[in-house]
């Protein structure tokens, strides 16, 4: 499988670094300037979940697609909560994987002014973090893109379709369920920061970030 993926991705014009176990993957992440990672879950030595967790704990920001044969919603949610930007469950179509990889690698940088402030929330592009009251909460690249859009339009409803376009550069076969998982993660991080803002679900339409009156 690794050899097939490597060949297909190289055919798309990418340079690749191949790691056959979790420890080798961490070494590659440390030693190379990577633009994206395709990470299997069932790896020897360290699982893909463990690799992802360690990378994010070290403030690694490389966009990551998680591959897993463990296709229960609990496993998928766990991977996204650890910081994956996207996931595919096995079996998958190579064309879909390549489309999602293109979406991750062509994503335009956000927050050209490095920071965005709404109420007591500060979103920083340079550190990929959401700050409030001295607390700094790390965001994945996808969470950063979604949060920027919500903060830029605080108080207004942002449609699901627009958020998917922002988070996944055009959609790339992303479902409403995937968006919901990311919105839940953002809601939890906002609540963790004890910030007077609520991320509301507007059923059937989208989401809105509203400040709570003091």
């Amino acid at each position: 499988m690794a050899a097939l993926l490597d060949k297909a991705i190289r055919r798309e014009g990418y340079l690749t670094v191949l790691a056959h176990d979790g420890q080798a993957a961490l070494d590659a992440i440390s030693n190379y300037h990577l633009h994206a990672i395709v990470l299997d879950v069932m790896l020897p030595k360290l699982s893909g979940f463990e690799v992802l967790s360690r990378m994010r704990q070290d403030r690694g920001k490389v966009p990551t697609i998680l591959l897993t044969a463990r296709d229960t919603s609990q496993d998928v949610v766990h991977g996204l909560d650890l910081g994956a930007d996207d996931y595919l469950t096995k079996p998958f179509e190579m064309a879909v994987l390549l489309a999602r990889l293109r979406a991750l690698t062509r994503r335009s940088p956000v927050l050209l002014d490095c920071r965005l402030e709404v109420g007591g929330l500060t979103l920083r592009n340079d550190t990929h973090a959401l700050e409030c009251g001295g607390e700094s909460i790390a965001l994945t690249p996808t969470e950063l893109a979604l949060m920027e859009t919500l903060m830029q339009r605080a108080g207004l409803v942002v449609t699901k379709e627009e958020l998917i376009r922002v988070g996944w550069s055009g959609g790339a076969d992303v479902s409403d369920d995937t968006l919901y998982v990311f919105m839940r993660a953002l809601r939890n991080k906002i609540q963790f920061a004890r910030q007077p803002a609520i991320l509301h679900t507007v059923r059937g339409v989208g989401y809105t970030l509203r400040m709570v009156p003091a």
Side-chain angles (χ1 to χ4, degrees), residues 34-209:
L34 303 176
H35 294 90
I37 297 171
V38 179
L39 183 62
D40 204 335
V41 171
M42 304 299 288
L43 292 175
K45 296 186 179 180
L46 296 172
S47 73
F49 286 152
E50 183 66 22
V51 171
L52 181 61
S53 176
R54 293 191 186 187
M55 179 177 71
R56 295 303 188 221
Q57 287 173 7
D58 292 337
R59 304 191 72 81
K61 305 168 185 175
V62 184
T64 301
I65 301 174
L66 205 61
L67 295 180
T68 175
R70 297 162 58 175
D71 58 358
T72 67
S73 59
Q74 182 177 1
D75 288 322
V76 172
V77 168
H78 180 55
L80 293 175
D81 284 347
L82 287 176
D85 294 275
D86 204 348
Y87 70 89
L88 276 177
T89 55
K90 300 177 183 178
F92 60 89
E93 295 184 20
M94 187 67 71
V96 174
L97 172 62
L98 294 175
R100 295 191 178 193
L101 184 59
R102 288 193 298 271
L104 282 185
T105 55
R106 71 170 177 258
R107 179 180 293 149
S108 299
V110 297
L111 291 177
L112 297 179
D113 294 331
C114 290
R115 64 175 62 206
L116 178 66
E117 296 183 3
V118 174
L121 281 176
T122 300
L123 188 63
R124 295 191 53 174
N125 182 43
D126 54 347
T127 60
H128 280 225
L130 186 65
E131 297 181 348
C132 177
E135 296 282 346
S136 180
I137 303 169
L139 302 180
T140 70
T142 300
E143 289 174 342
L144 184 73
L146 295 171
M147 195 65 194
E148 180 199 21
T149 300
L150 289 164
M151 289 179 69
Q152 286 177 335
R153 299 175 60 183
L156 303 176
V157 177
V158 185
T159 67
K160 292 183 289 185
E161 292 78 12
E162 181 173 355
L163 287 169
I164 287 173
R165 284 197 301 270
V166 167
W168 289 269
S169 297
D173 196 31
V174 176
S175 70
D176 289 354
D177 290 340
T178 299
L179 177 62
Y180 168 78
V181 172
F182 277 87
M183 289 296 102
R184 191 190 67 170
L186 282 175
R187 184 178 288 116
N188 289 340
K189 290 182 177 183
I190 292 170
Q191 291 174 348
F192 178 80
R194 296 183 294 277
Q195 166 61 28
I198 298 178
L199 183 55
H200 288 275
T201 301
V202 182
R203 193 172 301 277
V205 180
Y207 297 86
T208 180
L209 182 69

